[in-house]
Amino acid sequence: TFNRKKELEKQLNIFFKQVKNLKYKYSLVVSDNGSNDGTKKTLLKYKKKFSKLTNVNFQLNVNKKNIGFTKNLLKTLKISSGDYTMILADDDFPSRKFYKKIYEYLEKHRPKGILFVPLFKEHLSKNLNNRPLYFKILTRLKKTFLEFSYVNQRSGSMSGIIMRTKSIFLEKKFSGTNTLYPQIRISLNYYLKYGFHPINFNESINM
């Protein structure tokens, strides 16, 4: 997160409300990329709230200055300690029973391949309706030789990318660059090694 205090507070509140009465255990990692809008105060408030929950391990990183999107994302991934890691932007909000359902899904299937949570994005669907038929078909096919294209395209929207934490491959070359979409390369590397897991899931992330 960076200078999105309002969105971040909404995001943390959604998570808190959804998991506070669950028996499942979660690990939540937030990395503040040098915000100057009061974000740190909000994070400390929620750190205190989460400390009262026995099923949440809240890990907070605060950068002294903005180190760029790539380095901040990589730092977050390195801190992650759960069995699975899902990337989530501070302004993309999960649906009502998301955290319960995604936990149950992962626990049941224990997938090795990369997963992508469904996204709801009104303007994306509107734009898609104006595209040629062949484009619609290509973007929706997720099997055989088009799988690679799908993983490449879908990972551009980083929210909802799920991978097994211990298997995430973080290239050393990332540490010295500020690649615009590092999650695409991370996703493709993971996919090439562990494959793709299509997800049949009713919950979503609203962008």
Side-chain angles (χ1 to χ4, degrees), residues 77-117:
L77 293 174
K78 288 176 182 177
I79 295 172
S80 182
S81 60
D83 290 342
Y84 288 88
T85 292
M86 183 186 79
I87 305 173
L88 185 63
D90 51 17
D91 59 346
D92 295 337
F93 307 112
S95 53
R96 193 166 58 91
K97 296 182 179 180
F98 177 83
Y99 290 108
K100 179 178 184 294
K101 296 295 185 180
I102 195 63
Y103 187 103
E104 292 172 345
Y105 187 92
L106 294 173
E107 189 67 22
K108 179 181 179 180
H109 297 280
R110 306 299 295 177
K112 293 183 179 180
I114 192 167
L115 296 87
F116 297 101
V117 175

Side-chain angles (χ1 to χ4, degrees), residues 35-153:
S35 299
N36 54 19
D37 65 342
T39 291
K40 184 177 179 180
K41 185 177 180 180
T42 297
L43 286 170
L44 292 176
K45 180 180 77 171
Y46 273 89
K47 184 178 182 180
K48 185 175 181 180
K49 287 186 69 172
F50 285 121
S51 67
K52 299 176 182 178
L53 301 182
T54 58
N55 65 328
V56 175
N57 175 28
F58 181 64
Q59 297 170 275
L60 173 61
N61 173 71
V62 178
N63 300 323
K64 293 182 180 180
K65 62 178 183 178
N66 190 317
I67 60 175
F69 169 73
T70 296
K71 290 183 179 180
N72 196 45
L73 174 61
L74 296 179
K75 183 171 287 190
T76 307
L77 293 174
K78 288 176 182 177
I79 295 172
S80 182
S81 60
D83 290 342
Y84 288 88
T85 292
M86 183 186 79
I87 305 173
L88 185 63
D90 51 17
D91 59 346
D92 295 337
F93 307 112
S95 53
R96 193 166 58 91
K97 296 182 179 180
F98 177 83
Y99 290 108
K100 179 178 184 294
K101 296 295 185 180
I102 195 63
Y103 187 103
E104 292 172 345
Y105 187 92
L106 294 173
E107 189 67 22
K108 179 181 179 180
H109 297 280
R110 306 299 295 177
K112 293 183 179 180
I114 192 167
L115 296 87
F116 297 101
V117 175
L119 299 178
F120 280 170
K121 195 169 184 180
E122 290 183 4
H123 74 266
L124 183 61
S125 60
K126 289 178 181 177
N127 290 340
L128 188 60
N129 289 333
N130 295 326
R131 303 277 179 88
L133 179 60
Y134 75 88
F135 184 88
K136 297 179 186 179
I137 295 173
L138 288 176
T139 55
R140 286 170 180 161
L141 288 176
K142 304 172 186 178
K143 294 181 180 179
T144 62
F145 66 94
L146 288 176
E147 229 175 42
F148 184 92
S149 297
Y150 172 75
V151 173
N152 181 64
Q153 178 267 331

